[in-house]
Amino acid sequence: MALCLRTSSRSILYYLKSKMGLLSSSSSTLTHQHHQKPPFTAPTAQNLRDPFANFSTKVNLLSTRRFQSTKVEEQWDSLNHAHHNQVLDFPGGKVAFTPEMRFISESPVERVHCYRVLDDNGQVIMSSKFKQVSEEIAVKMYSDMVTLQTMDSVFYEAQRQGRISFYATAIGEEAINIASAAALTIDDLVFPQYREPGVLLWRGFSLQEFANQCFGNKDDYGKGRQMPIHYGSHKHNYFTVAATIATQVPHAVGAAYSLKMDRKKACVITYFGDGGTSEGDFHAALNFAAVMEVPVIFFCRNNGWAISTPTSDQFRSDGVVVKGPAYGVRSIRVDGNDTLAIYTAVHAAREMAISENRPILIEALTYRVGHHSTSDDSTKYRPVDEIEWWRSARDPVARFRKWIESNGWWCSEDESELRMSVRKQMLHAIQVAEKANKPPIAELFTDVYNVPPSNLCEQEKFLRETMKRHPQDYMPDVPV
């Protein structure tokens, strides 16, 4: 292709030069003229002292070499214009050439705007456009946000009391959990990270089921094999949480490709944090989704911290939203503490993903008010007053409450009754889960192979013998 362009250019130049009288009758004459030195007058002493005088001499010299015909000048201008407007028909689309050498800036002059509907006082911003929410849906959204907040508080206390081994809260990110879930349907597949239990709550996962998983008892769907908060539910289309960062992202794209092939009117949503975008899985997934044109929503919870690593140490780009267009993915930045903005954005993203068979990237700006987990003390790496400001001034639950109260859908009596009821239910669920037996030891070795291999059978036998020799090291409620 480049050779064709070069040959074509040479032909054009040869033709124009012949018309302009620049080509001689023989190549030897052309070569002689090409190597002739132009007449040059040696500079005088005065010229050396006066650079402007020397400049005048050069200008006069150049003026004698100019084309005498205006028509010839126009022909040259036409040729240059043709060169400037050439287009390279390259895979992916036509690319225009330019004589300017210009590097793309590493950072925009202005950061990508953040879509918002409710201000910090819970009032709808003038001229904002959003998906209308009925009273029934709005009240359920708020109730589930309060339930999630209460559940986090009770489970966190239980871990501190030594009743469960581990826990991670979603404090400050309740709107992301519930509002995004409300904009989806039960047919949409969810590939979570580990801070989206609210999505499962919205879909009908009971408080007792949450407690069973955290305590790893016989009623836990994971049969006690996973650490707490690694929920999963087949009937709710909620894939089991994996502790490894961002591995769920390419899995979600594969599932979305399956939905596309089956022509199902559903999409896939996968959640991950800002730290997850530093993993290769994130980049491979976006490229895979864009090329295969699959109905998947990439939902990034940019809460400012990947455990103790701030976003300033994660990337130099304008957050995560700008990474989408680089892979050909339509993207939007949303206020992650604005329930209506999240609901509207995910609802629109779902419609586009399904109707147009395209991936969508959503970056939700929020803040992880709680510690990364019960194994973390975030006050060691970020100011306490910063945490408290986000807890009080930017609380998504309080902001949404102000909005439903302004609509006459909620009051203080409803608030007190809800919080008391949820806490009571949570304490009861914990008591039941705590008393239930643990799964049998045999369950550690099932659900992988149809016929267990010999080495796995040997491991099971060795474990049973060890438990019998050292019963004091194992919980008495574990059936052997």
Side-chain angles (χ1 to χ4, degrees):
M1 187 181 297
L3 180 60
C4 292
L5 286 172
R6 192 175 302 154
T7 304
S8 176
S9 299
R10 285 174 178 172
S11 300
I12 294 170
L13 283 169
Y14 187 91
Y15 174 77
L16 287 176
K17 285 183 178 181
S18 65
K19 291 295 184 182
M20 296 172 189
L22 295 178
L23 292 175
S24 63
S25 58
S26 66
S27 58
S28 59
T29 308
L30 177 62
T31 305
H32 174 71
Q33 290 177 350
H34 178 72
H35 290 287
Q36 268 189 330
K37 293 184 179 179
F40 185 76
T41 306
T44 61
Q46 183 179 358
N47 293 151
L48 292 174
R49 287 193 299 270
D50 184 1
F52 291 101
N54 192 34
F55 177 75
S56 301
T57 305
K58 290 183 178 180
V59 169
N60 293 331
L61 173 62
L62 291 172
S63 64
T64 61
R65 300 287 304 245
R66 295 188 61 188
F67 297 115
Q68 300 299 317
S69 170
T70 305
K71 184 177 180 180
V72 173
E73 290 181 358
E74 290 174 352
Q75 288 175 319
W76 269 111
D77 290 341
S78 177
L79 176 62
N80 288 333
H81 183 72
H83 277 296
H84 295 171
N85 287 276
Q86 281 186 346
V87 173
L88 176 64
D89 193 0
F90 199 75
K94 293 183 178 180
V95 180
F97 289 111
T98 176
E100 274 188 77
M101 185 180 72
R102 191 185 337 174
F103 290 91
I104 299 173
S105 175
E106 72 283 0
S107 59
V109 176
E110 184 179 24
R111 298 193 68 181
V112 175
H113 292 185
C114 185
Y115 172 61
R116 195 184 201 194
V117 175
L118 297 176
D119 62 22
D120 290 337
N121 294 317
Q123 300 303 308
V124 175
I125 299 171
M126 189 177 298
S127 74
S128 62
K129 297 179 180 179
F130 63 96
K131 177 72 176 175
Q132 296 297 322
V133 183
S134 67
E135 177 180 352
E136 180 184 3
I137 296 297
V139 171
K140 176 173 168 45
M141 288 169 71
Y142 180 72
S143 298
D144 280 4
M145 289 169 74
V146 171
T147 300
L148 177 59
Q149 202 175 54
T150 306
M151 184 176 78
D152 277 347
S153 176
V154 173
F155 276 138
Y156 189 87
E157 292 170 3
Q159 194 281 331
R160 288 299 188 237
Q161 294 168 2
R163 299 165 80 176
I164 58 177
S165 61
F166 177 85
Y167 195 73
T169 67
I171 300 173
E173 301 178 31
E174 295 88 352
I176 287 174
N177 274 250
I178 304 303
S180 64
L184 302 170
T185 71
I186 193 63
D187 294 326
D188 298 324
L189 308 181
V190 179
F191 284 77
Q193 191 180 12
Y194 45 68
R195 219 176 291 278
E196 296 84 25
V199 178
L200 199 48
L201 178 66
W202 176 269
R203 294 192 167 200
F205 207 69
S206 69
L207 297 180
Q208 189 61 62
E209 288 173 307
F210 279 114
N212 291 339
Q213 197 284 324
C214 286
F215 280 87
N217 61 32
K218 63 180 181 61
D219 296 317
D220 168 28
Y221 300 134
K223 302 181 180 181
R225 299 163 178 156
Q226 281 274 24
M227 60 194 295
I229 74 162
H230 288 58
Y231 311 109
S233 175
H234 178 72
K235 67 179 180 181
H236 295 105
N237 281 330
Y238 190 95
F239 284 72
T240 303
V241 173
T244 44
I245 302 300
T247 54
Q248 75 278 9
V249 187
H251 295 166
V253 179
Y257 189 37
S258 175
L259 292 179
K260 177 182 177 180
M261 290 191 294
D262 292 340
R263 301 182 183 279
K264 292 186 177 180
K265 295 297 182 182
C267 73
V268 177
I269 186 169
T270 180
Y271 298 86
F272 49 92
D274 45 275
T277 65
S278 291
E279 295 287 343
D281 284 343
F282 165 77
H283 298 274
L286 259 68
N287 191 54
F288 180 19
V291 172
M292 303 309 294
E293 298 177 336
V294 298
V296 60
I297 300 173
F298 298 103
F299 197 110
C300 177
R301 298 175 292 94
N302 186 349
N303 61 23
W305 297 89
I307 309 184
S308 59
T309 305
T311 53
S312 58
D313 288 346
Q314 288 286 349
F315 38 70
R316 283 292 181 271
S317 61
D318 178 15
V320 177
V321 67
V322 296
K323 300 179 190 294
Y327 288 104
V329 176
R330 189 174 295 174
S331 310
I332 187 173
R333 172 175 282 165
V334 186
D335 182 351
N337 290 26
D338 183 344
T339 305
L340 292 183
I342 292 293
Y343 178 78
T344 303
V346 174
H347 187 276
R350 181 181 185 275
E351 289 294 317
M352 288 186 287
I354 296 174
S355 63
E356 301 176 28
N357 267 326
R358 69 163 62 249
I360 305 291
L361 171 63
I362 298 175
E363 179 190 23
L365 301 184
T366 183
Y367 190 83
R368 194 195 75 217
V369 172
H371 303 299
H372 174 74
S373 70
T374 49
S375 301
D376 173 50
D377 179 4
S378 61
T379 61
K380 299 295 183 183
Y381 52 81
R382 57 182 187 174
V384 175
D385 56 351
E386 175 184 289
I387 300 172
E388 290 306 315
W389 183 82
W390 279 89
R391 186 193 301 275
S392 56
R394 298 298 316 281
D395 179 21
V397 181
R399 192 199 299 191
F400 193 57
R401 177 186 174 181
K402 292 175 182 177
W403 183 73
I404 60 173
E405 283 181 335
S406 67
N407 288 321
W409 300 341
W410 199 253
C411 63
S412 299
E413 290 74 16
D414 296 327
E415 183 76 15
S416 300
E417 184 180 343
L418 174 64
R419 290 189 178 274
M420 287 178 60
S421 175
V422 172
R423 185 168 181 83
K424 184 178 180 180
Q425 292 176 55
M426 273 302 310
L427 294 175
H428 176 72
I430 283 180
Q431 290 175 355
V432 172
E434 201 169 25
K435 292 176 182 178
N437 289 333
K438 300 299 180 185
I441 285 297
E443 294 291 5
L444 282 174
F445 304 93
T446 60
D447 297 335
V448 176
Y449 298 97
N450 184 32
V451 178
S454 58
N455 65 319
L456 204 59
C457 294
E458 291 174 4
Q459 290 175 27
E460 181 180 358
K461 180 182 178 181
F462 179 76
L463 176 60
R464 291 180 183 278
E465 292 173 351
T466 302
M467 292 179 69
K468 288 179 180 178
R469 285 199 306 269
H470 307 282
Q472 71 280 2
D473 295 332
Y474 296 88
M475 298 177 67
D477 61 342
V478 178
V480 179

